[in-house]
Amino acid sequence: MEEDKSLNFIEQIVENDLQEGKNDRRIQTRFPPEPNGYLHIGHVKAICMDFGIAERYNGVCNLRFDDTNPVKEDTEYVDSIQQDIRWLGFHWGNVFYASDYFDQLYDLAIRFIKEGKAYVDEQTAEQIAEQKGTPTEPGTPSPYRDRPVEENLRLFEAMQRGEIEDGKMVLRAKIDMANPNMHFRDPIIYRIITTHPHHRTGRKWNVYPMYDFAHGQSDYFEGVTHSICTLEFVVHRPLYDWFIDQFVGQVPSNAADWKTGSDYRPRQYEFNRLNITYTVMSKRKMLQLVKEGLVAGWDDPRMPTVCGLRRRGYTAEAIREFIRKIGYTKVEGMIDLGLLEHTIRESLKNTAPRICAIFDPVRLVITNYEGDGETIVAENIDGNPELGTRQIPFARELYIERGDFLEQADKNFYRLSPGGREVRLKNAYIIQATGCEHDADGNLTTVYATYDPLSKSGTEGGNRKTKATINWVECQSCVDVEARLYDRLFAVENPSAEEGDFRDLLNPDSLKVVTCKAEQSLRSEMHRPEVVDGIAQVNHYQLLKQGFFVIDPDTDDRHIVLNRTASLKDNWQK
RNA sequence: UGCCUAAUGGUGUAAUGGUAGCACUACAGAUUCUGGUUCUGUCUGUCUGGGUUCGAGUCCUGGUUAGGCAACCA
């Protein structure tokens, strides 16, 4: 059932370009993460765009790690990023690294110096910042701005040979210190980094290119046609174009015909980044939460990371569907967390087997039930027999939810109450409460009821309607299960908009760990999950009336751990 | 006193000069062996002044508001 969805503005641009025959009607995109953290759902939005455009228009999307800053980057992240993209179901053409182009980039820098377009500055970072001016005031030129070409060449080579201390010199493009776009005020294009080896090139380089000098150039070398990124790069686009103008058609590119006057050039387009209520989408803040132990790790089920969502029980399909729903524009907005939850419920409601678990158990004794008990056969999903059945033990003593019994009930309460209405035990018999018992402190300990032996589900006598159906498990056979009940990470809608420390805004109730009593089938249906690409394939369940749950990797043979993916909607107000 | 973006219900998006639609949320009703699901219905919207046009959310123009831009980060 493919619903008609109009093209987003990037797709329209691509279709126009195709129609006009731009870049020989070739479509090539790239997903360019910096390997300095785990992928989060904001990245997924970019991934769906970059890979989606390539898929839709028979192009190719390459994965390119933007690894120009060895101080922050690590192979740990390179691996997790690839795993997450594969898990999401996308396929790249090649894996590239910005560091693949360090030689070409260095040559380009030399070329710029020779053409008088770059110079070595030996002022401090503070001095350079001061001379940059402000958005409303022009900058002032560096005293080193007019150094002779030979001297620039000699110094830049000395920088690369490791003869200059970190921070003592930088290479700047010589553009325009008075440009209204601050990025044109002689941007730094190379800096010295000797303190950290690069995760791929080791100690080969002592100078590393800055983003503005690496990104567009890498796009050009690879033959990228549509370089799609988020809105904060809009101000960089003129510089992106400026650099490419300096060498387009004069330097090799994988794009065809560069030598023969092809019109090829990469172009940058920007869309709005993803913000979701009650969470943060900043790698820096996430890293802080992880490092300070405020969450259990990058894959903590409360985190908006891909691995966190996965552990929470989100499926790749649901995450992609969510991205499809929110669309792409140039308006900076804030997506309601409720939409993400709605999407995962949609995805699981027709597939997740139902199971009973009692979270706040109280004993129910069926006083007129004779015999040792019986086995009930229930469909895993009501009305969906192809999803199989399971067996549930039934006997005289059961656990039910404490909240399903009220000694004094008003008419809006549909469930058990002494002398009250008939209530269906899910998949079993109709009962009627007759009384209850309390301990010395007045806590309810036992509910007494009688059952109608002819009212069993699936039998003719069982067709009688009841207003309510309640959950139960049989006392002897049920299993204790640890349930981790997750809720929104932050207590406020937009933590980034608040004054003060974002850590003070964490939701203190974002995790509640409880033990519940689940029906035996949860244990018997459990199996060691199959591991694909290092990722355990998980089973999703719906605990009736409680929500969707997924088996957590902390589970072992003795101890079952379930994570709540999402609660069920609850229209019953007290 | 700069430059760049953007502005459609509570939220996210569509309408490409021709009936302002969809999804989420909220609310109401029906159905239901999950107070879930499903179904039906309701509420709420083109930032603003002027102009072009038979006709403007859309084009022009002047405002207003919001966000971004001054890392040896990406």
Side-chain angles (χ1 to χ4, degrees):
Chain A
M1 219 177 51
E2 195 62 17
E3 138 194 16
D4 266 349
K5 179 105 175 151
S6 44
L7 301 180
N8 64 51
F9 76 101
I10 304 268
E11 290 165 339
Q12 290 176 30
I13 288 168
V14 169
E15 293 204 352
N16 284 341
D17 290 348
L18 247 19
Q19 232 159 44
E20 290 171 17
K22 242 179 229 174
N23 297 324
D24 297 325
R25 293 197 165 77
R26 209 170 45 79
I27 300 298
Q28 185 173 328
T29 59
R30 96 276 89 111
F31 175 62
E34 184 184 14
N36 70 343
Y38 283 72
L39 253 29
H40 56 67
I41 192 163
H43 293 114
V44 178
K45 181 172 179 180
I47 288 169
C48 291
M49 169 60 79
D50 293 328
F51 287 90
I53 288 283
E55 274 177 19
R56 178 168 188 149
Y57 297 103
N58 296 315
V60 62
C61 178
N62 295 309
L63 176 59
R64 182 176 75 228
F65 290 99
D66 232 335
D67 56 349
T68 56
N69 187 356
V71 175
K72 292 161 65 180
E73 295 148 9
D74 197 274
T75 45
E76 171 195 359
Y77 302 118
V78 170
D79 298 336
S80 75
I81 287 169
Q82 297 189 52
Q83 189 179 62
D84 285 347
I85 295 172
R86 282 194 296 261
W87 178 74
L88 286 165
F90 290 106
H91 308 280
W92 52 78
N94 288 293
V95 180
F96 294 131
Y97 296 80
S99 52
D100 294 337
Y101 313 121
F102 280 172
D103 282 295
Q104 290 167 81
L105 258 7
Y106 184 82
D107 291 347
L108 211 48
I110 297 284
R111 179 190 183 111
F112 272 40
I113 293 172
K114 287 180 177 163
E115 292 172 350
K117 291 173 182 165
Y119 62 95
V120 172
D121 198 336
E122 40 192 297
Q123 300 181 98
T124 63
E126 294 71 33
Q127 285 171 315
I128 291 175
E130 250 170 64
Q131 288 163 1
K132 214 131 213 185
T134 70
T136 53
E137 294 162 307
T140 50
S142 161
Y144 301 97
R145 197 169 199 261
D146 293 314
R147 238 194 244 281
V149 168
E150 292 68 29
E151 199 176 323
N152 284 321
L153 227 37
R154 186 170 55 73
L155 290 174
F156 185 54
E157 282 162 0
M159 284 164 64
Q160 160 52 16
R161 281 195 302 270
E163 292 164 11
I164 316 290
E165 209 179 309
D166 292 34
K168 292 292 181 197
M169 291 184 189
V170 291
L171 185 68
R172 299 178 71 180
K174 191 177 188 174
I175 310 180
D176 176 9
M177 288 306 290
N179 198 293
N181 182 336
M182 302 277 303
H183 295 278
F184 276 77
R185 326 248 257 229
D186 288 11
I188 293 170
I189 57 177
Y190 261 94
R191 78 292 215 188
I192 304 168
I193 298 174
T194 60
T195 50
H196 295 70
H198 189 278
H199 68 104
R200 293 187 73 240
T201 61
R203 294 281 178 188
K204 176 176 179 190
W205 297 95
N206 291 307
V207 292
Y208 292 89
M210 299 284 288
Y211 169 84
D212 283 310
F213 197 71
H215 199 90
Q217 278 84 328
S218 303
D219 285 343
Y220 174 84
F221 298 149
E222 288 173 7
V224 168
T225 57
H226 296 78
S227 185
I228 307 166
C229 59
T230 46
L231 248 23
E232 67 267 29
F233 292 98
V234 169
V235 283
H236 292 254
R237 189 188 340 119
L239 187 56
Y240 178 104
D241 289 332
W242 187 88
F243 277 127
I244 287 168
D245 286 338
Q246 306 311 304
F247 61 80
V248 65
Q250 303 167 47
V251 175
S253 163
N254 287 337
D257 296 340
W258 67 274
K259 288 177 194 163
T260 57
S262 155
D263 69 349
Y264 165 73
R265 66 178 296 140
R267 289 175 180 83
Q268 177 182 305
Y269 302 95
E270 313 87 9
F271 63 83
N272 58 343
R273 64 186 306 153
L274 173 60
N275 297 301
I276 300 179
T277 54
Y278 300 104
T279 189
V280 291
M281 214 65 85
S282 139
K283 273 197 265 187
R284 199 198 93 241
K285 286 176 183 165
M286 289 181 206
L287 182 63
Q288 203 173 344
L289 294 175
V290 171
K291 285 208 162 148
E292 294 177 10
L294 297 167
V295 295
W298 285 101
D299 69 343
D300 185 297
R302 291 165 293 186
M303 292 282 275
T305 48
V306 173
C307 52
L309 289 164
R310 183 164 61 222
R311 191 166 178 183
R312 178 75 171 258
Y314 275 81
T315 59
E317 295 70 29
I319 295 172
R320 289 172 65 161
E321 172 62 14
F322 169 73
I323 299 296
R324 195 192 66 78
K325 280 180 198 286
I326 61 176
Y328 296 85
T329 65
K330 302 179 97 154
V331 186
E332 296 170 47
M334 176 75 71
I335 306 288
D336 197 332
L337 178 62
L339 185 62
L340 183 60
E341 294 184 335
H342 169 260
T343 312
I344 188 61
R345 288 190 192 109
E346 275 302 290
S347 159
L348 295 179
K349 73 182 182 202
N350 294 323
T351 55
R354 272 55 165 170
I355 281 188
C356 263
I358 302 299
F359 280 68
D360 188 7
V362 69
R363 211 161 56 105
L364 172 77
V365 178
I366 302 170
T367 51
N368 62 335
Y369 188 85
E370 308 289 339
D372 296 336
E374 60 192 289
T375 297
I376 283 168
V377 177
E379 288 180 338
N380 284 329
I381 297 184
D382 288 350
N384 217 343
E386 60 272 26
L387 284 153
T389 59
R390 65 188 190 282
Q391 300 193 324
I392 314 170
F394 182 89
R396 188 168 186 266
E397 294 200 7
L398 312 173
Y399 289 117
I400 61 169
E401 292 287 354
R402 188 171 299 269
D404 283 345
F405 176 82
L406 260 189
E407 215 173 341
Q408 314 277 333
D410 67 27
K411 64 176 168 47
N412 289 324
F413 186 79
Y414 305 160
R415 288 161 280 170
L416 285 175
S417 192
R421 29 178 133 225
E422 288 191 325
V423 169
R424 161 77 62 187
L425 291 173
K426 178 73 182 170
N427 295 314
Y429 299 95
I430 292 173
I431 60 168
Q432 212 169 358
T434 52
C436 62
E437 215 170 83
H438 297 85
D439 64 16
D441 301 322
N443 300 313
L444 181 69
T445 54
T446 311
V447 173
Y448 294 99
T450 55
Y451 87 120
D452 174 357
L454 300 176
S455 64
K456 192 173 179 179
S457 296
T459 68
E460 200 160 328
N463 286 335
R464 198 155 82 241
K465 298 270 181 247
T466 57
K467 184 72 176 169
T469 300
I470 65 168
N471 293 163
W472 55 273
V473 295
E474 192 274 318
C475 292
Q476 299 306 311
S477 60
C478 67
V479 293
D480 278 356
V481 166
E482 177 180 333
R484 297 178 180 169
L485 307 179
Y486 293 103
D487 201 350
R488 50 188 60 156
L489 223 202
F490 285 89
V492 299
E493 272 205 354
N494 186 358
S496 305
E498 303 282 327
E499 299 280 315
D501 195 324
F502 79 103
R503 293 168 298 184
D504 297 337
L505 305 169
L506 286 165
N507 173 12
D509 300 319
S510 61
L511 170 59
K512 283 188 202 145
V513 180
V514 300
T515 301
C516 63
K517 296 192 175 299
E519 63 179 72
Q520 195 182 38
S521 59
L522 184 61
R523 166 174 286 159
S524 55
E525 286 184 12
M526 255 191 47
H527 57 274
R528 284 285 124 218
E530 186 192 354
V531 174
V532 176
D533 190 24
I535 294 171
Q537 307 300 295
V538 291
N539 289 327
H540 303 269
Y541 296 99
Q542 185 192 109
L543 300 190
L544 283 166
K545 302 191 185 187
Q546 299 294 339
F548 293 101
F549 288 74
V550 66
I551 296 199
D552 186 84
D554 285 347
T555 296
D556 60 34
D557 294 337
R558 274 194 286 280
H559 185 58
I560 304 169
V561 180
L562 290 179
N563 294 329
R564 184 172 68 192
T565 309
S567 60
L568 259 30
K569 281 208 283 186
D570 187 4
N571 287 335
W572 189 62
Q573 258 83 34
K574 287 200 210 105

